Amino acid sequence: MKAKLILLTVSLLSASLLVGCAKSPSGRQQLTLFSNSEMKQLGTQSFEQMKKEIPLSRDKKLNQYVQCVATHITAQVEKGYAIKTWEVVVFDSDQVNAFALPGGKIGVYRGLLNVATTQDQLASVIGHEVAHVLSEHGNERMSHAQLANAGLAVADVFSKESEYGGVAMSALGLGVQYGVLLPFSRTHESEADLFGLALMAKAGFDPRAAVQLWKNMAKASSGENPAEILSTHPSHKTRIDDLNAAMPTALKLQKQANSRPHCK
């Protein structure tokens, strides 16, 4: 039984590595095991569920403002990504957050606007979230989680026969969490920062606002962030340093933009 399970799992891992390789917009090798249609379905289902569970903002001006910023950002998405329309929703919640999902779904929480106080700062957030979708980070995260679970299943066969099986499994689970999954997430965040910076600049927004946004985020968090090594996000300082390093290129892209957004 053990031998069959091990053989099956190794075969699954080998096949996955052969058929699921792709490249991110930055040129990094990715493992993507799910099809675009599967990701779109998951994104759409999740979005519809959220709209049922979280109150939607009925503030017409607020919705128009967020829609305006998002439209300028999504207009920069190349046709090759096969997302023709984007649905934008403002959630009536104090949470400081936003997200984008496969299938062209964008959610912005009202509380974010207390931190992203200008159209350019909001554009940096929406650009970042759209960049996650275009970079297939959700697919990659799910793919790595699936392989991690397959590996844990094999290890569990051995651990059950050991006096210290439970301890070994806990240690292995912790190792997978902090040694594989979270570092990839920090990579995703950094990629989305830079890709999103380019998107907002191409749309005509001021890319320098991205730096100010993260200064606002650092102030709003009041030093409560976890240590970067245990976080799914880079530290505020790391993000700001990386954004500043990419700023000359972003400013050139903004200069080349055909228009300057005026979202109010």
Side-chain angles (χ1 to χ4, degrees):
M1 178 66 181
K2 289 190 294 185
K4 289 183 179 180
L5 177 59
I6 294 169
L7 180 60
L8 177 62
T9 305
V10 170
S11 299
L12 171 63
L13 297 180
S14 300
S16 298
L17 291 172
L18 287 173
V19 304
C21 290
K23 283 190 177 182
S24 72
S26 67
R28 179 179 56 82
Q29 288 288 338
Q30 292 178 292
L31 181 68
T32 52
L33 303 180
F34 300 89
S35 68
N36 289 335
S37 60
E38 288 173 324
M39 295 304 298
K40 179 179 179 180
Q41 182 178 6
L42 286 171
T44 300
Q45 289 176 346
S46 298
F47 199 61
E48 292 304 315
Q49 187 64 31
M50 292 183 73
K51 289 195 293 184
K52 293 177 182 179
E53 297 178 354
I54 306 174
L56 305 182
S57 172
R58 303 300 178 186
D59 187 324
K60 186 177 180 179
K61 291 183 178 180
L62 180 61
N63 277 275
Q64 288 176 339
Y65 169 62
V66 173
Q67 180 72 57
C68 176
V69 174
T71 298
H72 279 88
I73 294 293
T74 57
Q76 308 309 311
V77 177
E78 297 178 5
K79 294 180 180 179
Y81 287 103
I83 301 178
K84 296 181 179 179
T85 59
W86 293 78
E87 181 182 0
V88 183
V89 166
V90 179
F91 293 102
D92 192 16
S93 167
D94 292 332
Q95 185 175 344
V96 180
N97 207 356
F99 63 87
L101 296 173
K105 310 298 181 182
I106 297 173
V108 174
Y109 292 80
R110 175 176 46 77
L112 175 66
L113 302 179
N114 295 325
V115 179
T117 57
T118 69
Q119 65 164 9
D120 301 291
Q121 290 176 22
L122 179 59
S124 71
V125 178
I126 294 178
H128 172 95
E129 298 303 331
V130 169
H132 274 308
V133 173
L134 302 183
S135 301
E136 296 194 76
H137 288 158
N139 192 332
E140 191 176 6
R141 286 279 288 172
M142 288 177 56
S143 299
H144 278 278
Q146 179 165 306
L147 293 189
N149 288 337
L152 289 174
V154 175
D156 190 41
V157 173
F158 293 101
S159 69
K160 286 179 179 178
E161 296 186 5
S162 169
E163 179 183 355
Y164 305 102
V167 176
M169 279 303 296
S170 297
L172 182 56
L174 186 64
V176 169
Q177 176 74 354
Y178 291 112
V180 179
L181 299 184
L182 293 187
F184 265 96
S185 185
R186 290 198 296 274
T187 297
H188 294 166
E189 290 297 319
S190 296
E191 284 186 341
D193 279 345
L194 300 182
F195 191 2
L197 188 71
L199 284 174
M200 69 175 294
K202 289 178 181 179
F205 292 104
D206 186 350
R208 292 169 293 189
V211 173
Q212 184 57 52
L213 170 77
W214 287 106
K215 290 180 179 179
N216 294 353
M217 286 287 194
K219 184 178 180 180
S221 65
S222 301
E224 295 177 357
N225 277 13
E228 183 173 354
I229 191 63
L230 299 181
S231 173
T232 59
H233 291 228
S235 69
H236 296 310
K237 182 181 184 304
T238 296
R239 301 188 98 138
I240 290 172
D241 288 346
D242 289 346
L243 288 168
N244 278 326
M247 199 57 63
T249 299
L251 289 171
K252 289 180 182 178
L253 291 174
Q254 185 202 20
K255 189 175 181 179
Q256 295 168 1
N258 295 325
S259 62
R260 298 289 186 271
H262 296 284
C263 301
K264 298 181 179 180

